[in-house]
Amino acid sequence: EVDQEGNTQYFKTNIPVPLGMCIAENILYVSDADNAVLGFDLDTKEEVFNFPYNAYGNLDGQAYDNNGHLFVVDTYGRIIKINLETGNYNLFVISGLTSWTQDIVFDEANNRLLAVGWIANAPIQAISLIDSSITDYPTSFGYYDGITMDQFGNVYVSSHQSPGRIIRYFNDLNG
């Protein structure tokens, strides 16, 4: 964290393998790759959530649906849905995602998640929050590691495919 004078210090240390993150309701949730999903109060920095989970791959990208659910990517191609109030969870997606799924974002306007994977020519995958069905949107690149959206619904994905790049797709997911 950086204060108003420009002094830098760590927000949190000693997390073995922090990968994906998401902020929901003043809590920073962090995927500790193969151990757990952790939550830290943004004001006190105290750990307030610890969800142990033995992922097949690594726990990575996260998204919050503004309705009490945190979705966490297992890079094996699964998505875990955690009820943040009760701590209960289910495997929301167990198959159909690309290999090495890396990140997800909540697309509120379309009530879905958008996911990207770490493979050549990876599609952007839309996952319905109603029935977890998956729709593929083909792309020309691949090796995606991040995905986000702007206020207009445009989608941005980051790719390590040489040379590294960020690609914007319009809100209908056409280039």
Side-chain angles (χ1 to χ4, degrees), residues 22-25 62-71 84 106:
C22 181
I23 294 174
E25 301 173 10
Q62 301 181 359
Y64 180 67
D65 71 355
N66 299 326
N67 197 25
H69 301 105
L70 184 68
F71 296 85
L84 294 175
F106 175 53

Side-chain angles (χ1 to χ4, degrees), residues 17-22 28-33 37-38 59-62 72 102-103:
V17 186
L19 295 179
M21 297 185 298
C22 181
L28 172 64
Y29 292 94
V30 179
S31 293
D32 183 8
V37 175
L38 307 173
L59 296 175
D60 203 335
Q62 301 181 359
V72 182
Q102 296 292 300
D103 201 8

Side-chain angles (χ1 to χ4, degrees), residues 1 10-33 35-51 62 70 84:
E1 66 186 312
Y10 294 114
F11 178 80
K12 203 68 183 172
T13 60
N14 297 320
I15 302 170
V17 186
L19 295 179
M21 297 185 298
C22 181
I23 294 174
E25 301 173 10
N26 206 49
I27 297 174
L28 172 64
Y29 292 94
V30 179
S31 293
D32 183 8
N35 296 313
V37 175
L38 307 173
F40 302 98
D41 184 286
L42 289 175
D43 297 323
T44 67
K45 303 178 192 174
E46 295 299 314
E47 183 177 308
V48 295
F49 186 83
N50 188 315
F51 178 80
Q62 301 181 359
L70 184 68
L84 294 175

Side-chain angles (χ1 to χ4, degrees), residues 34-156:
D34 54 359
N35 296 313
V37 175
L38 307 173
F40 302 98
D41 184 286
L42 289 175
D43 297 323
T44 67
K45 303 178 192 174
E46 295 299 314
E47 183 177 308
V48 295
F49 186 83
N50 188 315
F51 178 80
Y53 190 80
N54 187 12
Y56 284 2
N58 290 314
L59 296 175
D60 203 335
Q62 301 181 359
Y64 180 67
D65 71 355
N66 299 326
N67 197 25
H69 301 105
L70 184 68
F71 296 85
V72 182
V73 166
D74 176 337
T75 58
Y76 187 72
R78 305 184 319 169
I79 297 176
I80 302 134
K81 179 181 178 182
I82 304 169
N83 181 314
L84 294 175
E85 183 177 326
T86 66
N88 294 330
Y89 76 96
N90 68 305
L91 291 176
F92 184 67
V93 175
I94 58 174
S95 65
L97 293 176
T98 61
S99 298
W100 302 108
T101 305
Q102 296 292 300
D103 201 8
I104 54 177
V105 66
F106 175 53
D107 177 1
E108 185 172 19
N110 294 296
N111 198 35
R112 65 186 180 181
L113 299 172
L114 297 176
V116 291
W118 180 261
I119 62 170
N121 299 315
I124 296 172
Q125 296 186 291
I127 303 103
S128 166
L129 290 187
I130 295 170
D131 61 8
S132 69
S133 61
I134 300 171
T135 303
D136 288 347
Y137 292 89
T139 69
S140 301
F141 303 101
Y143 298 103
Y144 299 121
D145 197 22
I147 185 169
T148 195
M149 296 179 71
D150 66 19
Q151 70 271 27
F152 305 109
N154 297 312
V155 176
Y156 299 80

